[in-house]
Amino acid sequence: MAEFYTKFIHETFDQNGQVSSWSYDYPENFNYGYDVIDPLARLVPNKPALVWQNDRGARKELTFGDLGRLSSQAARLLQARGMKKGDVFMAVLRTHWAYWVAALAAHKLGLILVPVYYRLTAEELAYRMKTARVRCVLTCREGPAAENVLAAAEETGVPLRFCLEQAPGFEDWPAAVAAQPAQLARVETRWDEPILLYFTSGTTGQPKGVLHDHAYTLSCHWGARYMQDIHDGSRHFATGDTGWEVVSGTKFYGQWLMEAAVLTYDFDRFHAPEILHMMEKYRVTTFCAPPTMYRYMIKEDLSQYDLSALKHCTTAGEALNPEVYNQWLKKTGLK
C-alpha cells in the first residue's frame, strides 16, 4: 500500500536512492484540514498523532480521529461567532496541544492564522494585532499572556477573545468548543490563498508579516522526510514554541503527512534532564532541537538515560559548534 503522502507528492529515485525528480499533485481547492487530516481521521482514527505533556505533569494524547473531530468542532465555534474566510485569527498559546486543533480549525475555514510568542508585551501584541487586522484571539494563562493579550485586544478593538481557562474578558475556549457539533460543511478554499501569517523577529525595523498559502503545508514534507528522517511509525520530538515558524516545519504538517506521532513538551525554562527524560519515557525515534540545547545535554551523564530508540537527530536555528557535534556523536553514536 502506497504511503499516504504519495497522494500529493510523487518522487522518483536514482540508483543510489536519491530523489531525482518530483512533482506535486493536488486539487485547486487543496486544504490541509479537509484533504490530509480528515482522510487520516477516517483511515487511521486510532493512530496516535499528538502526545503532549507540560512541565507540571499534565498529559494529553490525540489520535488522528480526535484531530478531525476537535478541529471541526472548533471551526463550528468560530463560525458561530461570525468568523469567515479571510478573517484573521491570532494564537498566543505557548506550546499547548490546543494550538494544533485551533490551527486546523482556522485552515478549514480559510482563516489567516497568526501564531505569536506568549511572552510578548502588550505593546508588541497590539502592534501585531493592528498590523494584521486581527479579529479573534485565543490565548493561555501562562506567564503574562492573558493580561497582555487582553490589554492589546482592548486597545486595538479585537472583538472575539478566547482563553484556555476561565479569565476575565475572555470566553472559555474548551467549554465553547465542547458544546459544538462535529459536523462541518466544507468551506471552499484555493491552494494559493493565505492561511498563515508569521511575524519576523524585527532585527531591523518593525517586525514584518510573512504569508504562507495552503500548498505550503505540503512543502513541509521535504524537511520531515529527508532532513528529519520521519516515516510512518516515527515518534518525533521537536522543541520550539508555537509562536515560532519552526513549529510548522518540525512538528506539524510534514510529520503528519508521514503519519508520525508528534511529541511536544510544553515548558517555559529549558532543563536538559527534563528533555532527556521525555526522550526516554516516550521512546523517541527522531529528535530536533537548536544547538544550544544539545550543548546543555552533552553536559549530562547520558548513560543514565535509555535513548536506545533514538535513530536520527537534527538541529537548526543557529550554527552548530563542532565540539558539540563530536561530543553528541561520542556519547550517543548518532551524527
Side-chain angles (χ1 to χ4, degrees), residues 239 267-275 292-294 296-297:
T239 61
F267 66 95
D268 183 43
R269 302 291 182 186
F270 171 74
H271 297 289
E274 291 178 5
I275 299 297
T292 297
M293 291 191 178
Y294 283 101
Y296 281 102
M297 287 191 289

Side-chain angles (χ1 to χ4, degrees), residues 261-299:
V262 171
L263 170 65
T264 184
Y265 185 42
D266 188 0
F267 66 95
D268 183 43
R269 302 291 182 186
F270 171 74
H271 297 289
E274 291 178 5
I275 299 297
L276 291 163
H277 174 66
M278 293 286 289
M279 294 166 72
E280 176 182 51
K281 177 180 178 180
Y282 292 104
R283 304 290 294 165
V284 167
T285 61
T286 55
F287 179 62
C288 183
T292 297
M293 291 191 178
Y294 283 101
R295 182 163 55 86
Y296 281 102
M297 287 191 289
I298 61 173
K299 295 178 181 179

Side-chain angles (χ1 to χ4, degrees), residues 18 48 101 124 137 154 226 247 285 327:
Q18 302 297 307
V101 171
E124 290 168 330
V137 62
E154 288 178 340
Y226 295 110
V247 165
T285 61
Q327 286 297 317

Side-chain angles (χ1 to χ4, degrees), residues 72-82 162 171 173 176-177 180:
S72 289
Q73 286 182 282
R76 287 293 297 266
L77 169 62
L78 293 169
Q79 278 185 326
R81 299 298 185 272
F162 294 95
E171 185 174 357
W173 174 263
V177 169
Q180 300 299 314

Side-chain angles (χ1 to χ4, degrees), residues 88-221:
V88 182
F89 177 32
M90 177 176 280
V92 193
L93 292 173
R94 201 165 92 162
T95 317
H96 197 279
W97 62 265
Y99 170 79
W100 284 262
V101 171
L104 293 172
H107 299 345
K108 286 182 173 182
L109 296 182
L111 307 180
I112 300 173
L113 180 69
V114 183
V116 298
Y117 185 48
Y118 79 106
R119 285 196 173 274
L120 293 183
T121 65
E123 181 181 4
E124 290 168 330
L125 288 163
Y127 168 78
R128 287 159 175 77
M129 289 177 178
K130 183 178 180 180
T131 302
R133 297 188 289 275
V134 172
R135 188 166 184 273
C136 178
V137 62
L138 170 61
T139 191
C140 59
R141 298 202 70 174
E142 304 288 352
E147 179 183 346
N148 288 344
V149 166
L150 182 60
E154 288 178 340
E155 177 187 337
T156 57
V158 176
L160 297 172
R161 308 159 192 172
F162 294 95
C163 188
L164 296 183
E165 301 175 51
Q166 291 185 345
F170 294 94
E171 185 174 357
D172 186 322
W173 174 263
V177 169
Q180 300 299 314
Q183 293 72 40
L184 176 69
R186 181 166 183 147
V187 174
E188 284 302 318
T189 57
R190 279 180 50 88
W191 69 268
D192 56 355
E193 290 175 336
I195 61 165
L196 279 165
L197 189 155
Y198 280 104
F199 277 91
T200 63
S201 60
T203 305
T204 56
Q206 290 281 25
K208 284 80 172 177
V210 179
L211 286 170
H212 293 305
D213 58 26
H214 286 274
Y216 160 78
T217 60
L218 291 177
S219 74
C220 292
H221 148 82

Side-chain angles (χ1 to χ4, degrees), residues 36-46 63-69:
V36 175
I37 296 302
D38 282 355
L40 287 174
R42 293 189 294 268
L43 290 168
V44 287
N46 299 318
T63 64
F64 283 105
D66 293 330
L67 288 175
R69 172 179 52 82

